[in-house]
């Protein structure tokens, strides 16, 4: 196996990756809360971890990839009531929309895509274990809360002491809590909430808190301990910190109490070995988010840009870096991807495989094994493009397409990308090209130049070839 090194948020170090079971990787990534269309911040999470699982598989690992769906949440309930529809109707609609967006971006479906509402019994089981271990209590308002200060390791992911930490935006602070940092595991039902948001439990009718769902779904599908847990950087605290507290508090029993309790803490199980967090998508130096109102939905962006351009825009930056969104950056990504496809347009390439002994492949692999450094890996593609353009060598062209395929690029016929557009638009362009050919044949060069200028204004680049052949692409 390769010496893959992964930056671990938990240790703040780049570490050699060693899965718990040789040749097998178990990975969980926090997915979408489905009450609206996905925006580019969501796209980055999905594309980044799609890239991670692709590289793990390319490296020879068998990967079990779980990406959950949050289909019960305060925002979901509010939106369903506003729309006058059931929770299930709302969430089904936006799950379908999410799949459409993800499929367009070339994101492979995860091995499992559990919905939170399907795992409520597993959540209740963990809450019961936490209560038995002295880490959960029912408050006067009916909510069951996690007692944060009784978990010795709280704060180890965020790197802050308990006194430095503040309750996250989804953590309701009430007088019924023992401590402001305590978070809700089970919410007591409210009279005005719909029937499809309520489940029976030993603590009364209610619904799960946000954090408990991931502890339950990951344990059910991957086991108590697994290799990689991923998500956006905004989830590091409080969501992922709370997942650790829940999962380790449940499985380690009394040993998860306070540090000076007298128990032997050396035999505690660890929930996750490697924590990975992708950077934010930023607009005007602020994180893109629905709460800030500065978000662009994936489907709106795809009205203006080819989906592969958006994928390329995301992956040519390192997954941990901030990604600055603008039309200028997407235009630049489109021009760069056009250069890659243009290098392949004179070759007939079918199924291709990477020659991992070739110099560019070796450098590509070294980049990917260094914490999935797609920025350097993409640079190797452009080095190959230069050689393909100089030497017109089909072996180099094959290697370019094969390496790009590892990241989910260049798998279409070149003209399918270079000439992409609506059928009517393509017909109009080809009609103008034919009109220009007729004008040139009759030596009406003024009309031919005018048509060329018209095509240029439409963003079309034309190239006259021998024998009267005209090739075109979008600029």
């Amino acid at each position: 196996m390769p010496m893959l090194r992964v930056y671990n948020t938990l240790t703040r170090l780049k570490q050699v990756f060693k899965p718990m079971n040789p040749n097998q990787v178990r990975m969980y990534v926090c997915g979408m809360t489905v009450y609206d269309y996905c925006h580019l911040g969501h796209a980055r999470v999905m594309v980044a971890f799609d890239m991670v699982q692709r590289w793990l598989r390319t490296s020879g690992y068998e990967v079990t990839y779980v990406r959950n769906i949050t289909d019960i949440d305060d925002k979901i309930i509010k939106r369903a009531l506003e729309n006058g529809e059931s929770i299930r109707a709302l969430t089904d609609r936006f799950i379908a929309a999410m799949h459409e967006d993800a499929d367009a971006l070339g994101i492979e479906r995860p091995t499992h895509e559990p919905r939170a509402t399907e795992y409520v019994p597993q959540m209740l089981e963990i809450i019961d274990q936490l209560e038995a271990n002295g880490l959960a209590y029912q408050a006067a308002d009916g909510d069951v809360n996690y007692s944060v200060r009784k978990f010795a390791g709280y704060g180890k992911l965020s790197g802050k002491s308990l006194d430095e930490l503040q309750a996250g935006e989804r953590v309701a602070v009430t007088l019924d809590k023992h401590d402001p940092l305590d978070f809700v595991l089970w919410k007591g039902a409210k009279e005005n909430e719909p029937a499809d948001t309520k489940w029976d439990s030993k603590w009364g009718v209610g619904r799960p808190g946000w954090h408990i769902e991931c502890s339950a779904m990951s344990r059910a599908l991957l086991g108590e301990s697994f290799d990689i847990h991923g998500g956006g950087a905004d989830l590091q605290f409080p969501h992922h910190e709370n997942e650790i507290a829940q999962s380790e508090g449940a499985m380690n029993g009394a040993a998860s109490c306070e540090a000076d309790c007298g128990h032997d803490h050396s035999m505690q199980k660890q929930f996750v070995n490697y924590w990975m967090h992708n950077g934010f998508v930023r607009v005007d130096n602020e994180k893109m988010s629905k709460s800030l109102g500065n978000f662009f939905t994936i489907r709106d962006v795809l009205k203006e840009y080819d989906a592969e351009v958006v994928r390329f825009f995301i992956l040519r930056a390192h997954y941990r870096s901030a990604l600055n969104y603008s039309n200028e950056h997407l235009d630049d990504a489109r021009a760069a991807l056009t250069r890659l496809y243009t290098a392949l347009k004179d070759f007939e390439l079918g199924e291709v495989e990477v020659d991992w002994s070739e110099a560019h492949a070796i450098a590509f692999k070294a980049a990917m094994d260094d914490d999935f450094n797609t920025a350097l890996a993409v640079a190797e593609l452009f080095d190959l493009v230069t050689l393909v353009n100089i030497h017109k060598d089909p072996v180099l062209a094959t290697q370019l397409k094969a390496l790009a395929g590892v990241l989910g690029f260049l798998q279409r016929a070149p003209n399918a990308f270079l000439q992409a557009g609506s059928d009517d638009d393509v017909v109009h362009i080809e009609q103008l090209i034919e009109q220009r050919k007729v004008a040139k044949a009759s030596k009406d060069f003024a009309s031919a130049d005018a048509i060329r200028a018209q095509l240029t204004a439409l963003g079309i680049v034309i190239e006259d070839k021998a024998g009267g052949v005209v090739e075109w692409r979008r600029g």
Side-chain angles (χ1 to χ4, degrees):
M1 283 295 175
M3 289 294 285
L4 171 64
R5 298 172 73 231
V6 176
Y7 182 84
N8 189 350
T9 310
L10 184 65
T11 62
R12 291 155 189 81
L13 295 171
K14 204 180 288 184
Q15 297 177 300
V16 173
F17 179 66
K18 295 180 180 178
M20 295 178 184
N21 298 317
N23 307 329
Q24 295 182 336
V25 177
R26 289 170 292 157
M27 180 170 79
Y28 185 95
V29 173
C30 288
M32 308 304 118
T33 300
V34 285
Y35 68 99
D36 206 341
Y37 294 112
C38 295
H39 60 61
L40 275 188
H42 302 135
R44 190 175 198 193
V45 176
M46 290 192 287
V47 170
F49 288 98
D50 177 66
M51 171 273 295
V52 168
Q53 66 90 19
R54 282 174 183 253
W55 184 246
L56 291 170
R57 294 181 198 278
T58 298
S59 300
Y61 292 111
E62 177 186 327
V63 180
T64 302
Y65 174 24
V66 178
R67 189 185 69 219
N68 76 294
I69 294 172
T70 297
D71 62 345
I72 184 67
D73 171 90
D74 289 344
K75 294 177 181 177
I76 291 172
I77 295 170
K78 181 174 182 292
R79 183 65 57 86
L81 289 172
E82 289 172 349
N83 292 353
E85 62 183 325
S86 69
I87 300 294
R88 186 74 187 204
L90 175 77
T91 55
D92 280 354
R93 182 155 50 86
F94 284 113
I95 289 169
M98 177 190 70
H99 286 153
E100 289 174 5
D101 293 341
D103 291 347
L105 292 169
I107 296 163
E108 297 177 345
R109 296 288 176 94
T111 316
H112 303 286
E113 198 173 45
R115 297 171 64 134
T117 53
E118 298 169 348
Y119 286 81
V120 174
Q122 291 87 337
M123 298 179 207
L124 291 170
E125 181 182 344
I126 293 176
I127 297 170
D128 193 37
Q129 289 174 331
L130 290 170
E131 185 180 56
N133 292 344
L135 291 166
Y137 61 92
Q138 186 167 25
D141 62 1
D143 289 354
V144 180
N145 300 319
Y146 188 99
S147 189
V148 165
R149 292 186 184 273
K150 292 185 178 180
F151 180 71
Y154 199 84
K156 63 184 176 181
L157 185 66
S158 57
K160 298 177 183 179
S161 69
L162 285 171
D163 292 333
E164 291 174 314
L165 293 171
Q166 295 180 351
E169 61 179 283
R170 297 200 192 192
V171 180
V173 179
T174 73
L175 295 176
D176 294 302
K177 292 184 176 182
H178 294 173
D179 188 282
L181 276 177
D182 291 353
F183 59 89
V184 177
L185 297 166
W186 185 256
K187 294 186 176 187
K190 297 179 175 60
E191 286 187 11
N192 63 340
E193 291 178 338
D196 57 356
T197 67
K198 299 174 182 178
W199 287 263
D200 290 326
S201 80
K202 63 182 279 189
W203 303 280
V205 176
R207 61 185 169 88
W210 176 42
H211 309 294
I212 193 65
E213 66 179 60
C214 289
S215 287
M217 288 185 280
S218 63
R219 185 166 82 168
L221 294 168
L222 298 175
E224 285 188 326
S225 299
F226 54 94
D227 301 298
I228 296 174
H229 195 314
D234 56 328
L235 299 183
Q236 185 176 338
F237 181 84
H239 185 51
H240 290 164
E241 194 78 69
N242 291 350
E243 278 190 64
I244 292 173
Q246 292 165 163
S247 297
E248 294 186 2
M251 68 184 174
N252 288 323
S256 294
C257 54
E258 296 174 271
D260 59 354
C261 64
H263 290 107
D264 180 8
H265 289 211
S266 63
M267 299 303 291
Q268 288 191 5
K269 298 176 185 177
Q270 185 161 291
F271 173 41
V272 173
N273 282 353
Y274 301 87
W275 285 88
M276 296 178 64
H277 293 92
N278 65 273
F280 295 127
V281 178
R282 306 188 73 84
V283 180
D284 297 328
N285 294 317
E286 286 190 307
K287 184 190 84 167
M288 181 183 290
S289 70
K290 289 194 172 89
S291 60
L292 293 173
N294 65 346
F295 66 94
F296 298 86
T297 67
I298 296 171
R299 52 193 48 215
D300 281 345
V301 174
L302 295 186
K303 292 175 184 176
E304 301 295 328
Y305 293 93
D306 185 275
E308 194 172 344
V309 170
V310 178
R311 184 182 179 91
F312 184 83
F313 163 70
I314 293 170
L315 287 184
R316 71 171 177 175
H318 191 279
Y319 77 92
R320 285 193 288 113
S321 67
L323 185 63
N324 295 309
Y325 172 86
S326 69
N327 286 347
E328 289 77 15
H329 286 125
L330 279 167
D331 289 340
D332 185 63
R334 178 164 55 192
L337 192 56
T338 295
R339 185 183 168 206
L340 293 176
Y341 266 114
T342 301
L344 297 180
K345 68 183 178 63
D346 294 327
F347 298 94
E348 293 289 337
L349 302 175
E351 294 289 325
V352 294
E353 290 187 7
V354 177
D355 174 5
W356 290 107
S357 66
E358 186 268 336
H360 292 87
I362 291 170
F364 181 100
K365 181 178 182 301
M368 293 299 291
D369 280 344
D370 185 13
D371 192 33
F372 309 96
N373 194 332
T374 55
L376 288 180
V378 167
E380 288 301 317
L381 300 183
F382 283 99
D383 283 349
L384 260 175
V385 163
T386 300
L387 294 178
V388 170
N389 288 336
I390 291 171
H391 300 291
K392 306 298 182 185
D393 184 347
V395 174
L396 292 172
T398 296
Q399 187 74 331
L400 171 60
K401 180 178 179 179
L403 280 175
V406 173
L407 298 177
F409 305 136
L410 303 190
Q411 300 309 291
R412 287 186 276 179
N415 277 345
F417 173 81
L418 297 172
Q419 299 179 352
S422 68
D423 291 343
D424 289 345
D425 187 35
V426 171
V427 167
H428 177 56
I429 291 164
E430 292 182 344
Q431 285 174 343
L432 288 174
I433 290 171
E434 285 303 314
Q435 290 170 17
R436 178 174 173 270
K437 285 182 182 179
V438 171
K440 286 182 69 177
S442 61
K443 300 190 184 303
D444 183 1
F445 299 114
S447 294
D449 289 345
I451 294 170
R452 185 178 193 123
Q454 188 178 350
L455 288 164
T456 300
L458 292 171
I460 304 303
V461 177
I462 61 174
E463 188 176 352
D464 293 314
K465 297 285 191 176
V469 174
V470 179
E471 293 185 352
W472 67 273
R473 63 174 173 81
R474 298 184 187 275

